[in-house]
Amino acid sequence: MRPISLASCTCKILEKLLCNRLNWYGDVDEVLWTFKGLPQGSVLSPLLYAIYVKSLNSLDMTNCEILQYADDVAILSSSDSIQIGLDDLKSALEQIDRFLNCIGLELSPSKTKLCVFSYGLKETHNLGIAFKDHFIPNESTIKYFRYHTKKYFRTIKCLKYTWWGADPRVLLNLYIALIMSRLEYGGFLFHNLSKSSSLKLMRLQYKALRFVLGLRNSTPTNVILAEAKEPPLNLRRDYICRNFLTKVLSCENHPLIHKIEAIIDLEDDPIVVNRFMNIPLIDNFRVVQKYSHIISKHSIPLGYSFHFNSLLFIPNVLKALAILEALHFVSQKEIKQVSIFSDSKSVLESLMKSNILGKSSVLIVAIKDLVRRLESLGYEIKLIWIPAHKGIKGNEMADKKAKEAIRL
């Protein structure tokens, strides 16, 4: 922890958590002291692991690339010859194994898998997705989803009865957690699904929703989706993909950006013949890229771009916040005492929340961060809420100017 300049008090807390911990075993009247390891399912596990093996990316491996996600490590090698690629992977694996042994870790052979992607080879299954000839086969994908959702259909069926069954809202939450999550998994990579294959997947969604809501088999699909308030699978996949790409574009040095741009250059090259259908990941990137100029960009993830206290900071209602640009104006002009009138109650309610685990706009966190810094410098910021469209002269003038600015 010392090499990454972690505060000594934080190091002490982690030391106590790891090296001096009590374990209770259910109803058994026995307490044991543990001097190593983290509690099962601790949120610190992936973070501490990433810090512990942070030197892994600095290994010099020829013709290979390392990708890490929590404690999962992928080694990639590309070559015109399968044998040369395998030799490069073997050399990189041996180097990683030596590195892990030096820090007291070891690879798990049972969890290590080799995947070869080349024309003419059999299907390769990795992380629940079947690959073949650089794309995902139709029938294998459909069979996988049908097999893994069948048992969850039985689970919901056990909870659904006329007189003593669970409420439809509870069943709908189970559907989202158990079935919908499987149908969405890897969805924006399905670039070769035919209309019949896509229809089979959508029928799984319709069947589950019809079962959960207790609707007839003859109920139209648009009514099913409307009653469940769920979008079709294709729209849901585009939504998830665009959310993911927005996060990617918010990180300036994200490696995926250059890879996608290279694929787009190949697609736009009139000489190169595209033998596959359009890839949803690439198509959605083209859409999101049009709005990249309004996406806040940082060299590190947005969650770490602001002071930690800003995430928990709650201003008093009498010292509330206005929009971010107004606060920047106050900061630039050094106006120590300022009252900002606003009719946006939803923004104020968002600013009053301190739940950092919820989905919060980056603008809300930025406003909190700026107000916290201004108040620490002696600024006095007050917000006076006023109702909209009530004939208040100043508010009506502001609305008029805003509408005029939109037309420019």
Side-chain angles (χ1 to χ4, degrees), residues 6-17:
L6 203 62
S8 58
C9 58
T10 306
C11 293
K12 197 66 177 177
I13 293 174
L14 293 175
E15 181 184 355
K16 291 293 184 181
L17 179 63

Side-chain angles (χ1 to χ4, degrees), residues 280-309:
L281 181 65
I282 306 302
D283 293 340
N284 284 301
F285 184 82
R286 293 177 185 269
V287 175
V288 176
Q289 195 176 31
K290 297 177 182 178
Y291 308 98
S292 60
H293 61 285
I294 61 175
I295 298 176
S296 180
K297 296 180 176 61
H298 297 265
S299 58
I300 58 178
L302 291 176
Y304 302 95
S305 301
F306 302 103
H307 195 281
F308 179 74
N309 291 337

Side-chain angles (χ1 to χ4, degrees), residues 87-105:
D87 292 340
D88 291 338
L89 288 175
K90 181 180 178 181
S91 175
L93 191 61
E94 292 174 351
Q95 192 174 353
I96 291 176
D97 187 50
R98 289 194 297 268
F99 169 80
L100 295 177
N101 288 334
C102 291
I103 60 176
L105 300 176

Side-chain angles (χ1 to χ4, degrees), residues 15 26 32 41 47 78 130 134 183-186 266 278 304 326 355 363 380:
E15 181 184 355
L32 297 178
L47 178 61
S78 178
H134 300 285
L183 297 179
E184 293 176 350
Y185 179 66
L266 287 176
N278 292 335
Y304 302 95
N355 184 12
L363 293 177
E380 184 179 349

Side-chain angles (χ1 to χ4, degrees), residues 160-177:
K160 182 184 180 301
Y161 278 90
T162 304
W163 299 110
W164 57 268
D167 187 86
R169 289 172 293 183
V170 176
L171 296 177
L172 190 59
N173 288 334
L174 286 175
Y175 155 78
I176 294 173

